[in-house]
């Protein structure tokens, strides 16, 4: 039995998220159906994590198992020819059977993009959150430092989050402005449901002086969702990359 | 009578181009109808130039005349509230009646974007041309230098171009690679129909060694369209900016 790791890029606009849902097509189902065209049978594709409806991924890792001996190239070019234009396999590699797509990840990086201008942008509308009021980046960066380390992120999780613990580790939060675009890059050990979107929403609320930067500290001490900032909309969020310990495998 | 200059941004994907056509909605018509909601009557909006079906604009200048005394802010925020989300007025300013939107421009800059990777990108599909074969940027830059100056661009114009002369001036061609994205920025006095797309297509043909860089020189000496490169697809092209002589007006 072979274990194949895929890297998948997608524009999440038209999907209900990674995972199958009754209310629309999922990335997972769409990938599984395209893969079935190549393999001749449906297999389960397990991703490194779920993304919400409308969230994008530059590089989502996922694995499946197969007895098929077809070359790795077929899992990229072959599967892509059966996928719609908003999803594409970027690479395929064979990994050891013991490879753990969920528990094995070392770190994940998400990017949240804000379009910060008094007028909206048609060209950035699908890939950013439009915030009219000029944001105070110095305050946002001051606040971002408080996220670093291990904390109880209960104030930063979506209502129906099913995680056993809300303790998460954040390694880095990097905020940059380029013209009207502000990017918030967050790297950490793992994330709760909606966590990056609530972190971004709270940072934006601090940038528009709704809260002081120290409000983040209070949210760790008094971890209640109602005390946090808004949940930033899905279209501004991208999964950039998931890191696994370095190994050597064949890859296409 | 006031003359109002607008700067308009649009995602051209859903339109037949700037100018009204029988085969689909135009940017011009859509802007005129939104403006009519504010002015109470339809006025003609004249742009700095036309863009083809599917071509985008970061900042397209356009003017209209009106007797209305309503503030400039209404031509931005008011009109935007009547525009679909793929078009937005970025700014409005009052200019002298003698302002010439077409003849008065000093230079225009277009950007053509190529996604250069063996696998397609869902996230860049609407805004770039996917070219699989790795392009030779050194050859493309060598070729780009030949465009600078005044030349007969007959080999670089679309079949139904109605321009009186094919002589055009190119000031700068700047080619950059950032990851898998290659941008070709072209600044010049004015452009023929499809000219930037044929320039980009010919540069890409040089980057994949279909032609030598000196082929550009031959295309000026023997100006025949059939000897040039492919016409790069519309979705990779953006009008970045049109320069006018500096003046002082009130602006919103």
């Amino acid at each position: 039995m072979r274990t194949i790791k895929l890297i998948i890029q997608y524009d999440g606009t038209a999907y209900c998220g990674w995972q199958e849902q009754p209310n629309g097509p999922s990335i997972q189902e769409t990938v599984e159906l395209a893969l079935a065209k190549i393999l001749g049978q449906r297999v389960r594709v397990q991703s490194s994590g779920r993304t919400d409806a409308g969230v994008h991924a530059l590089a989502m890792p996922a694995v499946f198992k197969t007895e098929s001996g077809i070359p790795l190239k077929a899992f990229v070019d072959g599967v892509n020819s059966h996928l719609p234009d908003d999803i594409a396999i970027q690479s395929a590699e064979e990994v050891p059977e013991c490879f753990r797509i969920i528990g094995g990840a070392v770190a994940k990086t998400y990017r949240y993009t804000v379009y910060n201008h008094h007028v909206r942008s048609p060209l950035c509308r699908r890939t950013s959150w439009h915030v009219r009021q000029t944001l105070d980046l110095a305050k946002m960066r001051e606040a971002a430092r408080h996220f670093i380390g291990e904390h109880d992120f209960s104030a930063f999780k979506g209502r129906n989050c099913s995680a056993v613990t809300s303790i998460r580790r954040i390694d880095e939060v990097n905020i940059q402005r380029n013209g009207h675009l502000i990017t918030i890059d967050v790297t950490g050990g793992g994330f709760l449901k909606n966590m990056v979107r609530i972190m971004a929403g709270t940072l934006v609320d601090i940038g528009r002086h709704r809260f002081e930067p120290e409000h983040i500290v209070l949210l760790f001490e008094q971890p209640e969702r109602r005390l946090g900032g808004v949940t930033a909309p899905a279209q501004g969020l991208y999964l950039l990359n998931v890191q696994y310990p370095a190994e050597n495998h064949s890859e296409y």
Side-chain angles (χ1 to χ4, degrees), chain A:
Chain A
M1 186 72 106
R2 296 160 81 196
T3 304
I4 310 292
K5 179 184 169 208
L6 303 173
I7 297 292
I8 309 170
Q9 184 174 127
Y10 51 86
D11 172 345
T13 311
Y15 297 89
C16 69
W18 170 266
Q19 200 179 34
E20 281 191 60
Q21 304 274 351
N23 62 333
S26 67
I27 310 287
Q28 181 183 22
E29 181 189 7
T30 310
V31 171
E32 288 178 0
L33 291 173
L35 202 49
K37 293 263 172 64
I38 299 295
L39 291 172
Q41 63 177 122
R42 182 124 176 215
V43 294
R44 200 71 186 161
V45 176
Q46 193 181 21
S47 70
S48 163
R50 299 169 193 174
T51 49
D52 295 340
V55 172
H56 319 292
L58 199 74
M60 168 66 92
V63 289
F64 67 93
K65 293 189 182 290
T66 183
E67 302 278 8
S68 162
I70 63 172
L72 290 172
K73 185 176 161 47
F75 297 129
V76 182
D77 298 341
V79 175
N80 282 343
S81 70
H82 293 289
L83 281 171
D85 67 357
D86 50 8
I87 305 179
I89 312 296
Q90 300 297 297
S91 64
E93 64 175 320
E94 203 157 335
V95 292
E97 214 188 319
C98 62
F99 179 81
R100 292 179 309 134
I101 190 80
I102 295 178
V106 177
K108 290 185 186 189
T109 302
Y110 280 93
R111 168 167 293 177
Y112 197 89
T113 303
V114 173
Y115 186 79
N116 190 211
H117 189 45
H118 73 102
V119 184
R120 62 185 169 78
S121 167
L123 290 167
C124 299
R125 74 189 192 285
R126 283 204 181 83
T127 52
S128 64
W129 176 24
H130 180 210
V131 175
R132 287 171 197 272
Q133 191 183 335
T134 305
L135 296 176
D136 184 336
L137 248 68
K139 291 274 186 199
M140 290 169 71
R141 288 187 177 129
E142 200 184 321
R145 284 188 292 113
H146 296 304
F147 282 123
I148 310 304
E150 228 175 49
H151 304 283
D152 178 354
F153 280 86
S154 295
F156 299 90
K157 71 177 182 192
R159 219 157 287 176
N160 49 355
C161 178
S162 58
V164 178
T165 165
S166 297
I167 307 291
R168 290 292 184 277
R169 182 196 86 235
I170 295 293
D171 302 322
E172 200 180 348
V173 182
N174 186 11
I175 305 176
Q176 296 294 334
R177 187 194 291 270
N178 183 3
H180 299 315
L181 287 173
I182 295 172
T183 53
I184 303 170
D185 288 356
V186 183
T187 300
F191 294 88
L192 300 163
K193 186 173 168 66
N194 291 357
M195 181 169 144
V196 182
R197 289 166 60 188
I198 301 171
M199 287 173 71
T202 306
L203 287 172
V204 164
D205 277 341
I206 289 165
R208 52 190 169 193
H209 301 137
R210 193 185 149 203
F211 303 128
E212 281 302 307
E214 293 66 38
H215 192 69
I216 304 295
V217 181
L218 177 128
L219 290 169
F220 290 140
E221 287 166 357
Q222 208 173 322
E224 294 172 41
R225 177 66 194 93
R226 64 177 181 88
L227 300 177
V230 298
T231 303
Q235 82 273 5
L237 186 62
Y238 287 75
L239 174 64
L240 281 193
N241 150 55
V242 183
Q243 270 178 266
Y244 290 90
E247 289 179 45
N248 293 316
H249 329 107
S250 55
E251 183 184 325
Y252 174 78

